[in-house]
Amino acid sequence: MQRVSQRHGLIAVDKQGNNIFFLNPDSFAIEQEINGLPPRPHELLILPDQGKAWVSVFGDGVHGDNPYPGHKIAVIDLRQRTLSNFIDISPLKAPHTARIGHDGKVYICCEDSSAIAILDPLEECVTGKIAIPSHNAHRLTLLPGGRKLFTDNEEDATITVVDLCQSPGEVVDTILMPGPLAGIDASPQYPYLVASDATRPVIYEIDANSHRVRHTLPLDGHHRPAQVVRFSADGTLLAVIGDNEPLVSLFDALLTPLATIKVGERPMDGCFSPDNSRLLIANEGDGTLSVIELATRKVVATPRVGRGCEILSYFSVD
């Protein structure tokens, strides 16, 4: 396999084991671990300017069944590879996906609170919130430039559109979708976003300006709905990850299908390597990673990592 630059590290969130792992970016061996996080650490946000990673502690359940919702975000120092802080976002609950806005603030959807929390990454505290009209906002995405935000309101079959240029953020539209949703991501290259349907194996292309569904695209080879949709950083590739189905589909920037690849059990999320030579898929169901070589579109390694990772990401090492 092609080696990843020594200027990058790799961090993984072991949701089933309540751990954080620092992995060797080439061998995927665990180099260091942080144990004993509250159950269950879910999502991951890299803050390159601060040299930190934030891990949301969603609660001990899953979307739709989370009896004891969390209210903390674990702060990981990427240089020291240590747990440096917990941010308590109370009274907001069930933090999940987080993204960085145009103002440098972090926006994180809080499912049980029908809100998006606004956090200062320097002070590591909540500075405000944006009320949204759904208790089912599980994931969010921002357009390039970070001035417009979209939440996937899963069972509601809607997407909430928030203008972040209006302080603290103004809900400006609700997009009615053909069915319930399971994932969302915005193209870094073109003015559209992609959402996955939670009831059938299709994805939707949505115009980022008009907020209208342009196309419904079938997921060839899938028999079940997909969940996470994830663009590469440059927007040239899109990964669509099966939900309880061991498949990942690849599309190009224009949403032309490229391949459908078999991976491990219950794949959850993934990340592209900085040079776009690999796609890593975290298989929560069997405690492995599927390492996909993008030149051949084949799985070239299946290392075991923890009890069941949900998400992982490369980060720069200065």
Side-chain angles (χ1 to χ4, degrees):
M1 289 188 296
Q2 181 175 332
R3 292 178 62 85
V4 172
S5 167
Q6 293 183 350
R7 293 181 299 172
H8 292 91
L10 182 61
I11 184 173
V13 178
D14 179 12
K15 184 173 80 174
Q16 294 303 316
N18 303 328
N19 302 310
I20 304 293
F21 297 131
F22 287 91
L23 307 179
N24 183 289
D26 291 304
S27 70
F28 309 105
I30 297 173
E31 296 181 333
Q32 199 161 333
E33 56 187 280
I34 299 170
N35 306 119
L37 269 72
R40 299 263 196 248
H42 267 59
E43 291 281 300
L44 175 66
L45 175 69
I46 303 296
L47 294 101
D49 291 346
Q50 286 75 40
K52 302 285 181 67
W54 286 10
V55 178
S56 57
V57 181
F58 180 68
D60 64 350
V62 295
H63 172 72
D65 183 17
N66 190 26
Y68 300 101
H71 54 87
K72 292 182 179 180
I73 298 166
V75 180
I76 310 299
D77 187 315
L78 295 174
R79 298 184 182 94
Q80 300 298 321
R81 299 191 172 193
T82 57
L83 173 65
S84 64
N85 192 18
F86 278 108
I87 305 171
D88 192 332
I89 65 167
S90 298
L92 300 175
K93 297 178 182 178
H96 201 252
T97 308
R99 294 290 183 265
I100 302 171
H102 71 287
D103 53 2
K105 298 290 181 65
V106 174
Y107 294 82
I108 180 165
C109 53
C110 299
E111 182 174 303
D112 284 25
S113 303
S114 297
I116 298 166
I118 307 170
L119 289 89
D120 185 321
L122 295 175
E123 299 296 328
E124 297 183 353
C125 66
V126 177
T127 61
K129 71 173 185 178
I130 304 166
I132 56 174
S134 176
H135 273 93
N136 291 312
H138 196 53
R139 306 181 195 277
L140 60 78
T141 188
L142 275 72
L143 294 186
R147 298 177 184 275
K148 190 187 284 188
L149 180 152
F150 300 81
T151 67
D152 73 335
N153 309 324
E154 306 214 340
E155 290 83 355
D156 296 350
T158 63
I159 294 173
T160 297
V161 186
V162 180
D163 181 359
L164 296 181
C165 293
Q166 305 296 320
S167 181
E170 180 182 350
V171 175
V172 294
D173 201 359
T174 298
I175 305 172
L176 302 180
M177 298 299 294
L181 302 176
I184 192 168
D185 202 13
S187 168
Q189 195 172 117
Y190 295 109
Y192 72 85
L193 51 148
V194 168
S196 57
D197 190 289
T199 60
R200 59 196 183 111
V202 300
I203 57 173
Y204 302 109
E205 178 190 356
I206 302 146
D207 189 291
N209 297 314
S210 69
H211 306 160
R212 295 188 177 184
V213 177
R214 286 180 182 168
H215 299 106
T216 300
L217 305 172
L219 297 174
D220 294 338
H222 291 246
H223 300 286
R224 297 174 60 91
Q227 186 174 180
V228 171
V229 288
R230 182 74 67 205
F231 279 99
S232 60
D234 63 1
T236 58
L237 292 169
L238 170 70
V240 180
I241 302 171
D243 184 10
N244 285 314
E245 186 175 30
L247 295 173
V248 172
S249 287
L250 291 174
F251 293 78
D252 69 11
L254 299 177
L255 299 183
T256 303
L258 301 175
T260 298
I261 303 163
K262 191 175 189 308
V263 293
E265 292 302 315
R266 207 162 79 242
M268 286 300 297
D269 208 333
C271 68
F272 291 89
S273 62
D275 61 359
N276 268 7
S277 65
R278 298 176 187 165
L279 170 62
L280 308 182
I281 299 296
N283 303 309
E284 186 183 344
D286 61 17
T288 67
L289 304 181
S290 292
V291 182
I292 299 170
E293 184 180 76
L294 291 171
T296 61
R297 298 169 191 161
K298 292 182 178 180
V299 174
V300 294
T302 312
R304 296 198 64 83
V305 178
R307 290 178 53 191
C309 291
E310 166 148 343
I311 190 168
L312 67 169
S313 179
Y314 290 91
F315 61 92
S316 295
V317 177
D318 296 327

